[in-house]
Amino acid sequence: MDGDRVNDYATRFQKQESEIQSLSAELECLKNPQKSSPSCRLDELREENTRLQYRLNILKRSLQDEPPHRGSAMMNINQRLQEIFGRAIRASCPELDSPPLSVTPNQQAKFGDYQCNSAMAMAQLLKGKGLKANPREIAEKIIQNIPENELIQKTEIAGPGFINIHLKRSFVSRLLSNLLVNGVQPPPLASKKKVVVDFSSPNIAKEMHVGHLRSTIIGESMCRLFEFLGYDVLRLNHVGDWGTQFGMLIAHLQDKFPNYLEVSPPIGDLQAFYKESKKRFDEEDDFKKRAYRCVVRLQSKEPDFIKAWNLICDVSRKEFQKVYDCLDVHIIERGESFYQDLMTEVVKEFDDKGLTEMDEGRKIVFAPGQPIPLTVVKSDGGYTYDTSDLAALRQRILDEKADIIIYVTDSGQGPHFQLVFAAAKMIGWYDPQVTRVEHAGFGVVLGEDKKKFKTRSGDTVRLMDLLDEGLKRSMDKLREKERDKVLTPEELTKAQRSVAFGCIKYADLSHNRINDYVFSFDKMLDDRGNTAAYLLYALTRIRSIARLANVDEATLRKAAQSVEVLLDHDKEWKLGKCILRFPEILQKILDDLLLHPLCDYLYELATTFTEFYDSCYCVEKDRRTGEVVKVNMWRMLLCEATAAIMAKGFNILGIDPVQRM
């Protein structure tokens, strides 16, 4: 609205400027000094124009002073500073088409709150153009061109050309009040995009094992992040529910439970059932032939075979759901079978565009810059994983209209996905400048011996066994701390699940997903250092401060609207700034799809809070009686803001912090 008013005043101002010039020219031509009417009109216009110019300048200044977003959304301070310094840099150095922009939080408080490091890089670029350039002089020019704004208190030049930025304390205080009144709200979203995240993806008839843990945890957390930021998220479970293995499973089902069409077969252990059928497939020729015939009849969609297939899938789904319930994972199953009919269309499209070629009976596709081809049709006429993944990608781009597609699988599948993405770009399904398609790969889970995580007998660790072990160990830890004597049975069970599953998730997410990581219950349940156990206890302690001071939620809500959050003490200032860095951390994760910076940030926030709490009295008590004599409400609000950010961070990580622990 203010922008429209600026345009209106500017238009009127320009119109009257033109009229003034016209009248001035007319006056020059007038010979008769007694003719005064144009002169009178000119004076009126000049007076009106002065008023318009004043009003225009006021409005422009108010637009500059206002944050670029309104409402309850949290501001990304780093992003706002980049906008301000971006304008200053362009104005100070018009010789550069795309001048470098670098604004980062300052690591040392004595040098200010943020730092702009662009001057040195700009000097190098100018020298490359044959122009004389001194970084400190460039930094001075940048400072001179900083527009009026709402957040910068002062700037200083340090060293060869670093610009140290000091924020206004009143500005930070207002942002904290906004957070307390409106809750933790995401920064403004330019446009609501659709995101598809493909994760977890176990195989039907096989149990989920430790190898599925990382994909499930990382994928769920990515979905939660995108959802919090306001994106439209589709969570897909690309299960292995089609293929030749179903032939042997159905053949074995027919033999073991011949009346399966009338009575649901009691398959308790699907893993054992799979092993039995595989053994027969490998050892019995007649069984193998019948298994192949079953595959053909399944692919022909004969009702009895579809029913057998559904029975086997349902048993697996129930087992998968136990894991998803423990980990609080929500996902839509859309397995390989969903794309069967689409695969024919995919192959035809590649054929029609002349992109396929034959190789020893196989139909293959070479994508630009890729060393090996994709096999889209096998020599026996069947389709492959390559065909299935191409069909899935095509459906997500063209039918789902996805703007962002993320595949969360182990890094070993990276080369395969690069082939699929390259082929999709080649055929014109998407433009990387418009649609973001990315493989978020991860390393393997290692045992404490630094080898692949296995049972003592050398078998793959079942995921449910791992989660059950986590529950047992977390209960032992709670009893060791004598929490069973303080908490009700219901509270103790909630704390047990929160610690067990929270620690397993956090241990994964706190490591760079690209790297392998060592799975250790002892380390993840340790309540010292950067662990979920430490952070969960820290959040519980922060939440208890108000309760122990007899300050209820209604009082805190009222205070948030009326009490100024003072930031005079160094530790108050440090904590306030740390709280408000939350949107910057989320933006970083969005850019590179690495979640460990959020864990590092939550740990930093918890330790910064401890420094604050040790130095600044939130509640003052009578030393003799222990009664509360004074509550420093602005500090209680800092406690509340810290807890709110930590709780939201946990929510994104898929961790459920309980009220009491």
Side-chain angles (χ1 to χ4, degrees):
M1 187 181 289
D2 284 345
D4 292 339
R5 290 164 66 194
V6 168
N7 291 336
D8 180 48
Y9 280 120
T11 302
R12 288 166 62 190
F13 174 71
Q14 287 165 0
K15 185 178 178 182
Q16 291 188 200
E17 274 288 348
S18 176
E19 197 169 342
I20 286 170
Q21 289 170 6
S22 174
L23 285 167
S24 297
E26 187 180 338
L27 278 172
E28 288 295 323
C29 297
L30 289 172
K31 304 292 186 185
N32 186 354
Q34 276 74 36
K35 192 164 184 177
S36 59
S37 59
S39 178
C40 293
R41 174 69 178 139
L42 183 63
D43 289 341
E44 289 172 18
L45 281 169
R46 280 191 170 137
E47 187 179 343
E48 171 67 11
N49 222 37
T50 301
R51 288 198 297 268
L52 282 172
Q53 179 67 65
Y54 172 76
R55 196 69 203 124
L56 184 64
N57 289 337
I58 290 288
L59 278 167
K60 282 182 175 175
R61 195 175 298 119
S62 73
L63 281 175
Q64 285 179 347
D65 288 346
E66 258 188 278
H69 79 297
R70 296 183 177 89
S72 61
M74 286 189 76
M75 178 191 284
N76 183 331
I77 296 175
N78 194 318
Q79 207 168 62
R80 177 68 179 128
L81 287 170
Q82 287 186 40
E83 290 168 5
I84 291 167
F85 275 85
R87 288 169 63 184
I89 286 167
R90 287 190 296 274
S92 64
C93 197
E95 301 93 331
L96 295 176
D97 294 331
S98 299
L101 175 61
S102 173
V103 178
T104 56
N106 230 326
Q107 298 304 311
Q108 296 186 57
K110 63 182 179 181
F111 295 130
D113 307 310
Y114 286 81
Q115 192 174 78
C116 176
N117 304 328
S118 299
M120 288 76 74
M122 289 167 68
Q124 290 297 321
L125 290 174
L126 288 169
K127 284 176 185 175
K129 287 176 171 280
L131 300 170
K132 190 177 177 182
N134 179 301
R136 281 189 71 92
E137 290 176 5
I138 293 171
E140 285 169 7
K141 279 187 184 178
I142 292 171
I143 288 174
Q144 289 165 10
N145 283 283
I146 292 174
E148 290 188 49
N149 61 82
E150 77 283 7
L151 72 165
I152 298 174
Q153 179 71 41
K154 65 175 181 177
T155 53
E156 302 162 335
I157 299 173
F162 300 111
I163 301 174
N164 291 328
I165 306 161
H166 297 260
L167 299 177
K168 291 179 182 176
R169 298 202 176 208
S170 58
F171 164 76
V172 171
S173 176
R174 283 199 305 274
L175 290 189
L176 288 167
S177 293
N178 178 65
L179 163 64
L180 288 157
V181 169
N182 297 301
V184 185
Q185 301 296 329
L189 196 62
S191 61
K192 188 168 185 175
K193 295 183 176 179
K194 180 151 188 187
V195 182
V196 172
V197 184
D198 178 326
F199 69 104
S200 194
S201 308
N203 288 313
I204 294 291
K206 293 183 181 179
E207 288 183 295
M208 291 180 75
H209 55 77
V210 71
H212 295 109
L213 182 66
R214 298 206 75 183
S215 177
T216 305
I217 289 172
I218 294 168
E220 172 69 18
S221 187
M222 282 184 184
C223 291
R224 286 170 177 257
L225 171 66
F226 278 110
E227 285 165 349
F228 171 66
L229 293 173
Y231 291 84
D232 177 15
V233 180
L234 178 60
R235 303 145 163 262
L236 291 183
N237 198 359
H238 190 81
V239 297
D241 65 351
W242 203 254
T244 53
Q245 76 271 25
F246 282 94
M248 67 183 191
L249 288 166
I250 292 170
H252 190 52
L253 180 73
Q254 290 170 335
D255 291 346
K256 197 163 184 178
F257 304 103
N259 62 339
Y260 74 90
L261 291 172
E262 290 80 35
V263 180
S264 184
I267 306 174
D269 189 343
L270 194 57
Q271 187 81 352
F273 187 84
Y274 180 89
K275 286 179 179 177
E276 289 169 11
S277 64
K278 183 70 169 70
K279 187 172 186 295
R280 293 184 67 191
F281 185 83
D282 292 338
E283 295 176 0
E284 301 174 24
D285 287 340
D286 287 345
F287 181 81
K288 181 183 282 191
K289 289 174 184 174
R290 192 152 56 87
Y292 281 131
R293 289 197 296 272
C294 286
V295 171
V296 173
R297 297 179 76 176
L298 174 63
Q299 290 175 342
S300 300
K301 298 186 179 176
E302 292 187 24
D304 289 358
F305 288 81
I306 290 293
K307 181 167 185 180
W309 171 73
N310 273 321
L311 285 169
I312 293 165
C313 289
D314 285 343
V315 175
S316 277
R317 287 187 190 109
K318 287 173 185 171
E319 293 303 310
F320 297 161
Q321 197 56 47
K322 290 177 185 176
V323 171
Y324 297 144
D325 287 345
C326 285
L327 297 176
D328 194 20
V329 169
H330 305 279
I331 193 165
I332 294 169
E333 183 185 311
R334 190 177 288 176
E336 293 169 10
S337 60
F338 179 86
Y339 304 101
Q340 288 306 297
D341 294 339
L342 302 176
M343 288 194 257
T344 306
E345 296 175 24
V346 164
V347 174
K348 184 177 184 303
E349 189 173 344
F350 276 94
D351 280 339
D352 291 347
K353 293 188 178 180
L355 297 173
T356 58
E357 54 186 273
M358 298 305 295
D359 178 60
E360 297 181 350
R362 299 180 304 152
K363 191 173 282 188
I364 61 172
V365 172
F366 272 103
Q370 300 301 314
I372 57 174
L374 289 163
T375 299
V376 292
V377 182
K378 294 187 291 185
S379 56
D380 64 3
Y383 296 132
T384 67
Y385 285 122
D386 294 347
T387 333
S388 173
D389 282 334
L390 282 168
L393 181 55
R394 180 179 182 270
Q395 193 273 339
R396 292 162 187 180
I397 295 168
L398 303 182
D399 297 350
E400 298 296 344
K401 303 287 191 291
D403 301 291
I404 301 170
I405 303 170
I406 300 165
Y407 292 81
V408 186
T409 73
D410 66 272
S411 295
Q413 295 187 50
H416 163 71
F417 281 112
Q418 293 313 310
L419 285 172
V420 172
F421 300 162
K425 283 181 279 189
M426 175 181 71
I427 202 168
W429 290 344
Y430 79 98
D431 176 357
Q433 300 300 317
V434 178
T435 307
R436 180 182 182 183
V437 181
E438 197 164 333
H439 175 234
F442 53 81
V444 299
V445 182
L446 304 175
E448 295 190 67
D449 58 0
K450 306 289 173 64
K451 295 177 181 176
K452 266 197 170 184
F453 197 31
K454 302 274 187 181
T455 63
R456 287 180 181 174
S457 61
D459 293 332
T460 303
V461 179
R462 292 174 67 246
L463 199 41
M464 273 312 300
D465 290 346
L466 193 75
L467 298 176
D468 287 341
E469 177 70 11
L471 285 170
K472 177 183 175 299
R473 290 192 181 225
S474 68
M475 182 59 82
D476 291 344
K477 191 78 176 178
L478 289 164
R479 286 188 171 132
E480 182 186 309
K481 287 178 162 290
E482 299 188 335
R483 302 311 296 163
D484 54 323
K485 296 178 182 177
V486 179
L487 303 175
T488 66
E490 185 183 356
E491 288 173 335
L492 186 64
T493 300
K494 283 184 177 178
Q496 176 196 23
R497 292 178 69 84
S498 177
V499 172
F501 304 141
C503 286
I504 289 171
K505 290 179 180 183
Y506 193 88
D508 190 317
L509 297 169
S510 61
H511 290 83
N512 186 323
R513 64 169 164 77
I514 296 168
N515 302 330
D516 299 342
Y517 91 97
V518 175
F519 190 98
S520 166
F521 273 122
D522 291 337
K523 286 181 181 176
M524 63 179 68
L525 289 167
D526 193 342
D527 54 11
R528 296 161 298 177
N530 188 5
T531 66
Y534 168 76
L535 291 172
L536 285 165
Y537 287 124
L539 179 56
T540 303
R541 284 196 302 273
I542 294 168
R543 282 173 163 170
S544 71
I545 294 168
R547 186 174 70 248
L548 295 173
N550 299 317
V551 178
D552 59 21
E553 286 186 23
T555 304
L556 285 169
R557 281 197 300 273
K558 188 176 179 182
Q561 295 177 329
S562 58
V563 176
E564 181 185 359
V565 181
L566 301 176
L567 301 167
D568 298 332
H569 195 287
D570 285 349
K571 299 302 181 184
E572 292 171 338
W573 179 236
K574 184 179 179 181
L575 178 60
K577 289 186 297 177
C578 188
I579 289 167
L580 295 176
R581 276 187 31 237
F582 187 56
E584 298 173 26
I585 302 301
L586 299 188
Q587 184 59 50
K588 179 174 172 53
I589 300 169
L590 203 61
D591 292 340
D592 55 27
L593 300 179
L594 296 171
L595 288 150
H596 66 276
L598 177 54
C599 299
D600 294 341
Y601 166 75
L602 291 174
Y603 181 61
E604 180 190 347
L605 182 58
T607 53
T608 302
F609 178 85
T610 300
E611 290 177 24
F612 153 78
Y613 192 69
D614 289 345
S615 304
C616 304
Y617 288 116
C618 298
V619 180
E620 296 180 34
K621 296 182 178 180
D622 185 294
R623 290 186 179 179
R624 188 172 54 83
T625 64
E627 290 183 12
V628 174
V629 293
K630 184 181 180 184
V631 175
N632 295 317
M633 192 56 75
W634 80 92
R635 289 176 177 163
M636 296 299 292
L637 292 175
L638 278 169
C639 296
E640 186 71 7
T642 303
I645 292 290
M646 287 188 72
K648 179 51 69 177
F650 276 142
N651 180 263
I652 290 170
L653 296 174
I655 296 171
D656 178 25
V658 291
Q659 292 294 325
R660 299 191 67 202
M661 187 176 290

